[in-house]
Amino acid sequence: MAELRDMKALVEPGRALSDDEYLRYSRHILIPGLDSIGQRRIINARVLCVGAGGLGSPTILYLAAAGVGTIGILDFDKVDLTNLQRQIIHTQNDLGKSKAQSAKEKVNQLNPGVEVVLHELKLDESNALGIFKDYDLIIDCTDNFATRYLINDATALLGKPYIWGSTYQFDGQASVFWSKEGPCYRCLHLTPPAPGSVQSCAEGGVLGLLCGAIGSIQSNEAIKLITGIGNSLLGSILIFNALDTSYEKRSEEHTSE
């Protein structure tokens, strides 16, 4: 069995669990090293997901199912027909609706015990610090470099960890960045690529289920940081190739975008 207590838990245990919560989260509570104390940490956690699209969809759903007490959703976009191939938190009935509102509705249906805080705005230098300060950790579910660097810089200033994911065609990557404890995104890539030099998913495409694979990894990293179990991806990048069904874990100094 893997070692389960290698990290310091990011979140302190919250209130005692109710009888219904013991039943709902019983499969977590049965896991040695996670148990009821870990679940109380999860319920006490405040997690912000920046983006409610391809990566945000599975991430938000799994965090809600796990019982994360407060989930912030930051997205100013609306649901479009091209989104439905991979953004599984949205449905045909949500077309034209705010992605943040659509995601909140699904969380409420899945787990009404989770508080959802909506930030229906564009993240920029004027609001990032004010929003991020209220959360224990940030999950970067975006698809553009400008926002990635903004998230990196804001979390570095606040000393908070963030979980990054990226998908393109058949390839996905995920990591944890935390300047207080290890490398940050700028340690890996000091400056953004020139505009137009890297294709977006809208230009080059992405396999829909790849977002589920990487989003699940991001959710897993969040639960590990919150509860202090296992070893995080801090200092390394996990690379997934859907065509080969292969995973490779590289130290960050040997990895390029």
Side-chain angles (χ1 to χ4, degrees):
M1 180 182 293
E3 183 115 6
L4 290 177
R5 291 288 180 187
D6 294 332
M7 300 185 293
K8 185 180 185 300
L10 183 65
V11 178
E12 291 298 316
R15 57 170 175 79
L17 302 175
S18 68
D19 290 343
D20 284 347
E21 287 169 335
Y22 265 104
L23 183 59
R24 177 184 283 268
Y25 306 118
S26 59
R27 299 314 190 262
H28 276 175
I29 294 167
L30 288 169
I31 301 173
L34 182 57
D35 56 54
S36 62
I37 298 299
Q39 189 61 50
R40 286 170 57 196
R41 296 184 194 274
I42 294 170
I43 286 177
N44 203 33
R46 298 178 58 86
V47 178
L48 176 66
C49 289
V50 184
L55 291 174
S57 291
T59 299
I60 291 167
L61 288 172
Y62 271 116
L63 293 179
V68 169
T70 302
I71 299 176
I73 301 174
L74 193 157
D75 201 309
F76 67 95
D77 201 5
K78 295 186 183 300
V79 181
D80 179 81
L81 187 61
T82 62
N83 301 150
L84 302 185
Q85 161 257 9
R86 64 200 178 282
Q87 299 181 18
I88 58 171
I89 205 167
H90 312 299
T91 70
Q92 185 80 16
N93 293 333
D94 298 315
L95 292 176
K97 185 183 295 184
S98 154
K99 286 186 180 180
Q101 290 284 352
S102 171
K104 179 179 180 178
E105 291 171 7
K106 308 312 185 302
V107 171
N108 290 341
Q109 293 168 15
L110 178 61
N111 191 346
V114 173
E115 179 185 2
V116 180
V117 180
L118 298 187
H119 305 277
E120 296 182 84
L121 46 77
K122 184 174 182 178
L123 189 69
D124 59 34
E125 293 179 355
S126 70
N127 57 34
L129 292 175
I131 295 170
F132 288 8
K133 67 179 177 59
D134 294 328
Y135 294 92
D136 298 304
L137 66 93
I138 315 300
I139 305 184
D140 178 2
C141 299
T142 65
D143 60 359
N144 68 86
F145 286 100
T147 307
R148 288 175 188 168
Y149 281 86
L150 176 58
I151 292 171
N152 176 82
D153 295 347
T155 52
L157 286 170
L158 293 169
K160 295 180 183 287
Y162 80 98
I163 300 165
W164 164 78
S166 175
T167 57
Y168 179 71
Q169 294 186 348
F170 294 100
D171 298 310
Q173 301 180 14
S175 188
V176 172
F177 297 109
W178 194 356
S179 61
K180 191 172 74 171
E181 301 289 337
C184 70
Y185 189 75
R186 282 191 186 273
C187 299
L188 190 63
H189 305 289
L190 182 60
T191 58
S197 63
V198 179
Q199 280 192 324
S200 67
C201 291
E203 298 165 321
V206 60
L207 185 67
L209 59 84
L210 179 65
C211 298
I214 300 302
S216 297
I217 291 168
Q218 290 182 284
S219 307
N220 183 50
E221 292 303 303
I223 296 301
K224 289 193 294 181
L225 287 173
I226 289 166
T227 60
I229 61 174
N231 299 298
S232 81
L233 284 173
L234 182 66
S236 61
I237 290 183
L238 190 68
I239 300 169
F240 174 59
N241 182 294
L243 279 181
D244 296 335
T245 317
S246 63
Y247 287 91
E248 181 183 359
K249 191 174 180 180
R250 298 181 187 174
S251 61
E252 287 178 353
E253 62 266 24
H254 296 129
T255 305
S256 59
E257 187 82 39

